[in-house]
Amino acid sequence: MTTATVRPAFSFPMLISGLIAVLVGYSSTAALIFQAAQAAGASPAQIGGWLSMLGVGMGLASLGLSLWTRMPVLAAWSTPGAALLATSVHGLTLNEVVGVFVATNLLIVLSGVTGLFARLMNHIPQSLAAAMLAGILLRFGIGTFSGLQDHFALCGSMCLVWLLGRRWLPRYAILLALVTGVLVALGQRAIHFPPHALTLSVPEFIMPHFNPAALIGVGLPYFLVTMASQNAPGIATLQAHGYRPPVSALTGWTGLIALLLSPFGGFSVCIAAITAAICMGDDVDPDPARRWVASALAGVFYLLTGFTGALIAVMLSALPPVLIATLAGLALLATLAGSLQRALAEPAQRDSAIVAFLITASGISLLGVGSAFWGLIGGVLTHLLLSPRRNG
């Protein structure tokens, strides 16, 4: 008589994969969230509340959607969206920035319910969306190395460790760069904790104000960048590993969670791509049908980090600004490179892509509307004008 082998509910590799996914997610771009919140005018206490809400939102989405679909669905904030916010919200009030969050996440929910996103992206060449994202990220890429002039030891050591990490421990390269930066800053006595270092704040409700110029100049590009550069790759990552996720449902549910948390600073909850891949490999579990447990465990870890969001904000505020800028830049170099590659991949679309890239990177503001929107408009116009001639 044979006895069926009873497998445990989860394994150590699943647990480690879920933990690493969360650590990589926070260590790689939490600095970017801090910059975006600072640019929006949030106080350190409010930034702590934002990070708490993001942790709770990503935890609920990762745990709930993984349990529901039995697929390794991992949530993340929109890294490209945070980059856009960090460079586009200067001059707006905090209430107007929250209004952008609410409007954008409402659009994401509607795109999930109606299938609007799929139809919209069919009319906007992927090269233009990639070019717009590359233009947004260019300033972060430059900021990676601009600190070398005045802070050579700090920035140089971070860049060197990141480079060595990319060679031998690519999964931990950003984490190693962060640790190196903190150690060097400690040696230079450049870390200064604020007086409220031991005070943990609760998320604060911020009444959204809707500024039409901000909704067009920041909200629309933010929506497009988030959907094209975060949700779309997240879905593609699941499909590349053999899963068939319910695209509209995942988009709608993550957008709804972000919409509910928007007034508290939960600006974005999306489908993860890079960190999600950590939970999808053969080393997680030989059976693809069981790998969802790793992303569910990651959801639990996200919920735990959500309760320490204020502590994370205080730690980041104590670090030298140049350390934050270098870390954010290093974390986005791969995204910048990939965006440039996608933008210029099609020879027939290179003119329109480079126009979109340069206008976005210029940082111009016309009629109160930011450069990301005008970069997209310029790219689309160039594409429309040049395509008939080439196709004729």
Side-chain angles (χ1 to χ4, degrees), residues 34 38 42-49 194 196 201 309-310 313-314 317:
F34 187 81
Q38 274 191 323
S43 67
Q46 288 171 326
I47 295 174
H196 57 268
S201 60
V314 168
S317 66

Side-chain angles (χ1 to χ4, degrees), residues 97-275:
V97 173
V98 171
V100 170
F101 298 168
V102 172
T104 301
N105 288 318
L106 181 59
L107 275 178
I108 292 174
V109 173
L110 292 175
S111 72
V113 172
T114 64
L116 172 66
F117 171 65
R119 292 195 292 271
L120 179 63
M121 293 311 295
N122 285 337
H123 292 85
I124 298 178
Q126 292 186 358
S127 61
L128 296 189
M132 182 178 68
L133 176 58
I136 293 166
L137 299 182
L138 180 62
R139 274 171 275 179
F140 290 93
I142 294 172
T144 308
F145 308 104
S146 59
L148 290 169
Q149 181 171 333
D150 298 320
H151 303 85
F152 183 80
L154 176 61
C155 300
S157 60
M158 291 179 67
C159 292
L160 178 61
V161 169
W162 174 85
L163 186 61
L164 295 174
R166 288 284 293 175
R167 175 64 179 85
W168 285 290
L169 295 169
R171 185 177 289 183
Y172 307 101
I174 293 297
L175 185 60
L176 292 171
L178 171 60
V179 171
T180 301
V182 170
L183 291 176
V184 174
L186 281 172
Q188 296 176 338
R189 298 184 180 180
I191 297 179
H192 306 287
F193 285 96
H196 57 268
L198 299 179
T199 301
L200 298 183
S201 60
V202 295
E204 174 186 341
F205 178 85
I206 300 169
M207 181 62 68
H209 291 173
F210 300 100
N211 179 334
L215 295 181
I216 296 173
V218 181
L220 184 57
Y222 176 46
F223 166 74
L224 292 173
V225 163
T226 296
M227 296 298 286
S229 302
Q230 188 68 57
N231 278 331
I235 296 297
T237 300
L238 281 163
Q239 293 173 338
H241 285 81
Y243 300 98
R244 294 294 175 263
V247 178
S248 294
L250 295 185
T251 303
W253 276 111
T254 52
L256 180 60
I257 292 172
L259 177 62
L260 295 175
L261 300 182
S262 289
F264 301 93
F267 72 94
S268 170
V269 178
C270 305
I271 308 300
I274 298 173
T275 51

Side-chain angles (χ1 to χ4, degrees), residues 332-379:
L332 291 170
L333 283 182
T335 306
L336 173 59
S339 299
L340 286 171
Q341 181 183 23
R342 291 191 299 274
L344 303 175
E346 294 293 334
Q349 298 176 2
R350 283 178 185 166
D351 287 339
S352 56
I354 201 68
V355 167
F357 168 70
L358 291 175
I359 294 177
T360 303
S362 71
I364 63 169
S365 178
L366 300 174
L367 304 176
V369 178
S371 63
F373 174 78
W374 294 117
L376 182 62
I377 293 298

